[in-house]
Every structure is written in C-alpha cells, then in structure tokens.
Amino acid sequence: MKLPIYMDYHATTPVDPGVVDAMLPYFNEKFGNPASRQHRFGWVTEEAVESSRKTLASLIGAQSKEIIFTSGATESNNLALKGIAEACGNPSLREKQKGDHIVTVQTEHKSILDTCQKLSKGGFQITYLPVDRDGIVDREHLEKAITNKTILVSIMIANNEIGTIQYVEDIGNICRARGVFFHTDATQAIGKIPVDVETMKVDLMSFTGHKIYGPKGVGALYVRSSNPRVKIALQMEGGGHERGMRSGTLNVPGIVGLAKACELSVQLMPEESKRLTSFRETMFTAFTSKLDDVYLNGHPTRRLPSNLNVSFNHVEDNALMMSMKDIAVSTGSACSTSDPEPSHVLKALRLPSERLHSSIRFGLGRFTTEEEVDYVINRVVENVIKLRKLSPSYKSSKEVVLSSS
C-alpha cells in the first residue's frame, strides 16, 4: 500500500490504463482534424469520433446522432438549460409549448444552480424544489410545481455530495405526461448505475469523462431527436460543428477516451458495484461501532455504491481532514478561508447545525483496495477520538449523558 491514499473519486478519477492506450494514437499518429473531409487524415479521426458517438449512444439507449460532444458536464448543463430557454424565445426553434418557467432542485450541482440564477436575471422564473432528509425530491411537489409556463425540469440522477439516487423514472413520466422537457445531470451516475434515456423518459442528459476514469476536458450532452424532438439554441458560434449545436474543433483523443471509459465502466459495473458497496458498508459499520455520534448523510439504500458521506459530531470537518494528510477525502462544506459556509446540499437536508460542519465525503473507486479501507478506518477513528478530547462540545455532551443516567 502506498501513501497518500486517494478517497475522493467523486471529485475526479485517475485515467484507466486501458483508456490511455486507446487515446495515445490520436495524439501523434492519427492527429487529423475530423472536420477535414478532403483527405485521409481527417477521415480517420472522423471515423473515430463517429465510432465513439455510437458507443456512447448504445450505452444509454440513444441514437448516435443524439450525442453532442462538449468540454464536460458544466458546459453540457449550460448548453441544455440556456439552449432550451433561448429556443423558447426564438421563432425558428420554438416548440409548441412556449414559456419562461424552469423547475430544478435545491441540491443540484452549482453548474445548474448558477445557470438558473443567470436565467432568472434575464426574466425566467425558477422554482427550486426542496428535498427530504435523505435528499429525495417529493413527486407531488414536482407535479404541483409544473405549470402551463414550464418549459424544462432539471433534476440530477445521483447527487455528487451525498450519493442519493432520485426516482428518475417517475420524474421522467411526470414530465412526459405534462409535455415538459426533462434534463438530468448524469455526471455521477454514468458508469456507476444503469442509465437508459428511454426507460427514464430523459430528453437531455449531461455527463463527463473525468468522473469515470476518462480524461478531463471532455463530456457530452444527449439531445433527444424525436418523440418529442428537442431543439436548443446554440451557445457557441463558429463553424456549425456537432449538428450546429456546439461549434469548435473536436477533442479527438478526449472523445475516444470518453467512449472507452464509458465502455469499461459499464463492463465492470456489476463487479465494482458489489465490491464498493461492501467497502462502503464496512467503513460505516466500523465508524458507528467504534465511535458514537456518527451519522450517515443521504439515503441509506438509494445511494451510489461508491459514496459515503458521514458526520462525526463534535469534530470540525476541516480539522479532521488536516489531521489525516495521508488520506485524500473531501468535506461536505464549501469553505473559503475567511467565511466557512456549509454545503448547500447538506443545508437543503435541514440537518442540525453541528452536522453541517462535521461531514466528510469518502469517495471509493476502481483502484481502492481492502488494505486502504482498513487503513482509513483506523486513521479516522484514531483522529476523531483525538480531536474530540479537545472539543468542549463533546465533553459537555458526555457530562449531560452521565448526569442523566
């Protein structure tokens, strides 16, 4: 076992060796621009791009022409939301139902929330649905939120912080029945749980490469072509690439890597899911058996196999991380050096204040070993005990327990 140990796989992943091998020829041997259709150099890379497009489409139950390559999920999310919003005001793109209302969720990724905020400044109405204590959206709340002005619902499949998996099929059915487009950010779901755009009634879907052992700087947006057909306004001018939806020279090595990463992830999913779920449960069981005041954040069962978000009460999250510099984990809080702010996701769960500042996200992955899991368990328990000895709140809580007993 080598130190430091990496347990932040939700933030990014190392590139799988098989993905690297697939990408390498497209850096120097097959370097042509796929838009150069006058010679073989362009033909070779164009074929690689279209083969990758076909691979991605088959993995999510789509058609290859419905896959639009982007620089990653953030761009895909922007393209989906802004593209639909602007299409509703463009006579040449306007769908049957024109409106100015978008529905999303309080626990979405910032690339969704910030985009919605931007759209609201331009006159669009945004509804931010609450979630329950486990991070699940209430379907009745969703149905009530949709009006005759609603043009889009955007709800992620799996949350990046707490791992909660939404009832996406139900959400898709509600949207389809109401004639509203459904977009989902599938960044954390692709390659980890089964995803099918037809079963889920998804109209637009964003995902990226670097969360699934692929390269950074490449992603895709699925845009439904029929039943119903989705039209979006382009956000990047110049050249009309990607069926006019996203101009710019394609990142061929990245696209090849993205397709290979998705292919490997789906192939390995059954084994990885079982193994990582076992690791996750081993860790949480150890934490709760060796420590008191330990709480799971997110849904207990409807969660990603690789995600474990835990609050260790009476211990500041940043202090715990700093005490374990040989382990890479992340806090559930988005903090600045001058004004620590709790994570918007944890705040949306309406957790007690102490849990907001004591949460750690453990992200397990393909290269996590049993030896690493055991090491992390011991280090966390050791340092929680050590830090609690210095915590006035922990001492006072123990005194209350003793006096009441």
Side-chain angles (χ1 to χ4, degrees):
M1 186 183 70
K2 294 181 180 180
L3 296 178
I5 291 171
Y6 189 73
M7 282 201 175
D8 199 18
Y9 279 83
H10 298 306
T12 195
T13 58
V15 181
D16 189 285
V19 173
V20 174
D21 290 342
M23 293 173 64
L24 284 176
Y26 295 92
F27 285 106
N28 50 20
E29 297 173 26
K30 305 174 182 180
F31 59 86
N33 187 329
S36 298
R37 295 191 173 94
Q38 297 84 9
H39 53 67
R40 184 172 299 277
F41 291 90
W43 302 337
V44 169
T45 51
E46 183 182 26
E47 182 180 351
V49 167
E50 294 312 311
S51 176
S52 298
R53 202 187 304 275
K54 185 176 180 180
T55 296
L56 292 179
S58 67
L59 296 178
I60 62 171
Q63 301 176 53
S64 59
K65 66 180 180 179
E66 297 174 317
I67 302 297
I68 305 301
F69 290 115
T70 67
S71 63
T74 291
E75 183 189 344
S76 295
N77 286 339
N78 273 262
L79 179 56
L81 271 63
K82 294 176 181 176
I84 288 293
E86 292 183 24
C88 289
N90 185 331
S92 66
L93 296 174
R94 189 177 298 159
E95 298 293 338
K96 291 181 180 179
Q97 183 182 24
K98 179 189 174 184
D100 60 0
H101 181 228
I102 294 172
V103 178
T104 189
V105 180
Q106 294 173 0
T107 53
E108 290 294 306
H109 189 269
K110 284 293 186 181
S111 60
I112 294 291
L113 298 179
D114 288 354
T115 301
C116 286
Q117 185 178 27
K118 174 78 171 180
L119 289 171
S120 70
K121 292 178 180 178
F124 285 86
Q125 305 301 309
I126 313 294
T127 296
Y128 299 93
L129 295 174
V131 294
D132 65 19
R133 288 294 182 97
D134 295 328
I136 297 291
V137 176
D138 187 293
R139 285 156 281 187
E140 289 187 11
H141 287 172
L142 172 60
E143 288 197 82
K144 291 178 180 178
I146 296 174
T147 73
N148 59 1
K149 291 291 186 180
T150 306
I151 55 175
L152 181 71
V153 169
S154 181
I155 301 176
M156 62 167 53
I157 296 177
N159 189 270
N160 53 303
E161 289 193 31
I162 58 174
T164 294
I165 300 170
Q166 299 293 344
Y167 291 92
V168 182
E169 289 185 32
D170 292 346
I171 295 169
N173 285 328
I174 290 170
C175 293
R176 187 63 57 84
R178 298 291 295 273
V180 175
F181 290 136
F182 174 36
H183 165 258
T184 187
D185 180 349
T187 301
Q188 295 290 346
I190 290 284
K192 299 168 188 174
I193 59 174
V195 173
D196 186 282
V197 295
E198 290 301 326
T199 302
M200 296 176 170
K201 303 292 192 296
V202 171
D203 300 310
L204 301 108
M205 186 171 73
S206 308
F207 54 101
T208 195
H210 74 102
K211 307 290 189 181
I212 50 172
Y213 313 95
K216 297 175 179 64
V218 64
L221 176 66
Y222 158 76
V223 182
R224 181 176 289 278
S225 62
S226 61
N227 301 318
R229 183 184 179 189
V230 180
K231 296 180 181 179
I232 59 175
L234 61 88
Q235 300 300 303
M236 196 177 300
E237 309 282 350
H241 305 77
E242 295 300 273
R243 294 172 50 221
M245 289 187 234
R246 199 274 188 180
S247 292
T249 301
L250 293 176
N251 174 5
V252 180
I255 288 168
V256 171
L258 171 62
K260 186 64 177 180
C262 283
E263 186 177 34
L264 287 174
S265 292
V266 171
Q267 289 174 0
L268 297 172
M269 190 188 301
E271 185 276 329
E272 280 193 353
S273 178
K274 182 179 179 181
R275 184 174 64 89
L276 296 181
T277 299
S278 176
F279 285 166
R280 183 192 74 197
E281 294 306 307
T282 295
M283 291 179 71
F284 188 64
T285 299
F287 293 152
T288 53
S289 64
K290 298 180 180 183
L291 300 166
D292 56 5
D293 284 347
V294 174
Y295 303 94
L296 179 70
N297 298 319
H299 199 283
T301 56
R302 286 190 64 84
R303 67 186 305 120
L304 293 171
S306 57
N307 178 279
L308 181 62
N309 191 307
V310 180
S311 288
F312 300 93
N313 277 15
H314 314 291
V315 175
E316 286 288 332
D317 44 23
N318 284 318
L320 181 55
M321 287 195 300
M322 291 301 292
S323 71
M324 306 184 301
K325 293 185 178 179
D326 52 351
I327 301 171
V329 291
S330 61
T331 175
S333 301
C335 299
S336 65
T337 56
S338 59
D339 183 24
E341 278 295 322
S343 154
H344 73 281
V345 173
L346 297 182
K347 286 173 70 175
L349 302 185
R350 300 178 298 283
L351 300 180
S353 177
E354 188 172 17
R355 283 176 63 178
L356 297 180
H357 295 277
S358 63
S359 66
I360 298 292
R361 181 183 69 176
F362 300 89
L364 306 169
R366 182 169 299 169
F367 305 109
T368 302
T369 66
E370 185 175 359
E371 188 178 15
E372 290 176 337
V373 168
D374 291 339
Y375 180 87
V376 170
I377 289 171
N378 291 331
R379 289 284 284 140
V380 169
V381 171
E382 171 192 353
N383 283 282
V384 168
I385 292 173
K386 186 184 301 182
L387 290 168
R388 279 179 173 176
K389 288 180 179 178
L390 305 173
S391 169
S393 68
Y394 185 67
K395 291 177 182 178
S396 62
S397 70
K398 294 301 104 179
E399 289 171 1
V400 169
V401 170
L402 288 172
S403 63
S404 63
S405 61

